[in-house]
């Protein structure tokens, strides 16, 4: 597997400029999760009681559907689910 390194500007360009490294305006029924080292979509789904990790990817269209890479320091939208 090829090791690919990108700087933050390149990541934003590849994602269409939708990666958010600062909290965005609040939306009712949603929270913003700041990605930390060790986070992945599956762990975040478990943490927030989301039945399928792919839902997080749908809510955050900048996440590449082939790699599912999330970036440390970026904010992801997570819909609040009833437990």
């Amino acid at each position: 597997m090829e090791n690919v390194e990108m700087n933050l500007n390149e990541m934003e360009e590849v994602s269409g400029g939708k990666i958010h490294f600062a909290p965005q305006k609040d939306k009712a029924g949603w929270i913003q999760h700041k990605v930390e080292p060790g986070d992945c979509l599956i762990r975040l789904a478990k943490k927030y009681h989301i039945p399928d990790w792919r839902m997080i990817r749908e809510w955050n269209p900048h996440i590449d559907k082939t790699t599912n890479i999330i970036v440390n320091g970026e904010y992801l939208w997570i819909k609040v689910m009833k437990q």
Side-chain angles (χ1 to χ4, degrees), residues 5 8 11 14 19 26 28 34-35 41 46-48 52 54 57 64 66 75:
E5 293 185 23
L8 295 180
M11 286 180 193
V14 167
I19 295 176
D26 287 340
K34 184 176 183 178
V35 177
L41 297 177
K46 288 180 183 179
K47 177 178 182 173
Y48 293 108
D52 187 342
R54 292 173 194 88
R57 189 177 63 192
D64 185 292
T66 57
Y75 285 84

Side-chain angles (χ1 to χ4, degrees), residues 3-49:
N3 185 16
V4 177
E5 293 185 23
M6 290 188 206
N7 66 37
L8 295 180
N9 290 334
E10 290 171 323
M11 286 180 193
E12 285 198 74
E13 186 176 316
V14 167
S15 71
K18 295 180 182 173
I19 295 176
H20 299 289
F21 291 103
Q24 302 300 298
K25 185 177 178 182
D26 287 340
K27 297 191 289 189
W30 296 80
I31 60 168
Q32 293 178 72
H33 173 85
K34 184 176 183 178
V35 177
E36 299 175 352
D39 281 349
C40 68
L41 297 177
I42 293 171
R43 285 190 191 123
L44 293 177
K46 288 180 183 179
K47 177 178 182 173
Y48 293 108
H49 309 285

